[in-house]
Amino acid sequence: MSTTTRTNDAPLLEVTDLVVDYRNGRRSYRAVRGVSFKLERGRTMGLVGESGSGKSTIGRAILGLAPVTDGSVRFRGDELATMKRSQRRALSDQIQVIFQDPYSSLDITKTIGYTLAEPLNHHERLTREQTHQRIRDMVRRVGLPEESIHRYPAQFSGGQRQRIAIARALIGNPTFVVCDEPVSALDLSIQAEVMNLLAELQKSMGLALLFISHDLSVVRHISDDLVVLKDGLAVEQGSAEDMYANPSHPYTQSLLAASPVPDPQAQAERRRLRQAAAAGSHAPTQTPTLERI
């Protein structure tokens, strides 16, 4: 494993010229093509793009679930791409993930209390009472009653199960969490509740979040910075506020135009922009590169 000198000024996460290829026999597909960004401690980076843009692949590469063909992924100065499995496991208390489907990510045969105790038993030396207290505290923090710890995943709604998944990811006090489309499977009203919960926990716990979504309007309210992805390339990146107010790339403009708003006139203007962007996408253009961001 390569080593670096760690400093307090170094980014918590630094992705540099990341390339990810998927192979099927002799054929290969380049899912991510030279993406770079930095995530500071306590901040939230949004990765936004349509299906096939490479956003979830980037998250999986950071987690060690997708191959890194080229480039660098560093966490606290250490290269993740070349780490051994034992080294990655040692980092699992600091790097966590919240997946899109909470039901499939939870063991349906285990109670919620058992599920939340597992990471504590693996990483920390706590007494039985200390473990139970941490579990009770975490369940309350995600807005569930204490008696939830005695129940099973099938006894909860989709929104409640996602709160349980959030509790499991955060109970070990990580510094960095990958949120891979964590609200896309939920109803709109429940989405807002879960997003508000994540924002509150991010602030109170000082978490750094990588928030992956296909919906620009979803990530806007939780992200400090955004990277917009298309066909494996980062076509635009910057502060969330600036990009939402004045997106410069036509693809970013089309994503924003696809987000519904309650004002009919504003919605009509977004529809016009989306149609213009779609028409322009058929014109021959140069392949975008990171150097032009």
Side-chain angles (χ1 to χ4, degrees), residues 146-212:
E146 281 190 30
E147 57 266 25
S148 298
I149 63 177
H150 304 297
R151 297 162 62 188
Y152 293 85
Q155 297 175 275
F156 295 89
S157 68
Q160 290 172 326
R161 286 196 291 264
Q162 195 60 288
R163 289 173 183 268
I164 295 166
I166 292 170
R168 182 182 58 182
L170 302 188
I171 196 167
N173 293 318
T175 56
F176 170 55
V177 181
V178 176
C179 304
D180 191 0
E181 298 267 16
V183 299
S184 62
L186 305 177
D187 294 338
L188 287 178
S189 60
I190 306 302
Q191 282 187 15
E193 292 179 6
V194 174
M195 290 295 293
N196 289 337
L197 173 64
L198 280 171
E200 177 186 332
L201 292 170
Q202 189 268 345
K203 184 177 181 180
S204 64
M205 299 179 70
L207 297 167
L209 302 181
L210 184 69
F211 199 97
I212 299 167

Side-chain angles (χ1 to χ4, degrees), residues 92-156:
S92 62
D93 61 329
Q94 292 299 302
I95 301 176
Q96 281 292 319
V97 59
I98 303 168
F99 290 109
Q100 176 180 358
D101 182 3
Y103 193 67
S104 63
S105 67
L106 297 173
D107 189 338
I108 62 173
T109 68
K110 306 297 184 184
T111 65
I112 302 310
Y114 185 96
T115 296
L116 296 182
E118 280 188 311
L120 295 178
N121 294 336
H122 184 70
H123 293 290
E124 301 189 36
R125 294 181 178 180
L126 302 176
T127 67
R128 185 181 182 88
E129 180 53 37
Q130 287 173 330
T131 298
H132 288 171
Q133 188 59 50
R134 284 276 290 275
I135 292 171
R136 289 192 294 266
D137 290 343
M138 195 71 244
V139 166
R140 286 196 298 267
R141 292 189 75 172
V142 299
L144 294 174
E146 281 190 30
E147 57 266 25
S148 298
I149 63 177
H150 304 297
R151 297 162 62 188
Y152 293 85
Q155 297 175 275
F156 295 89

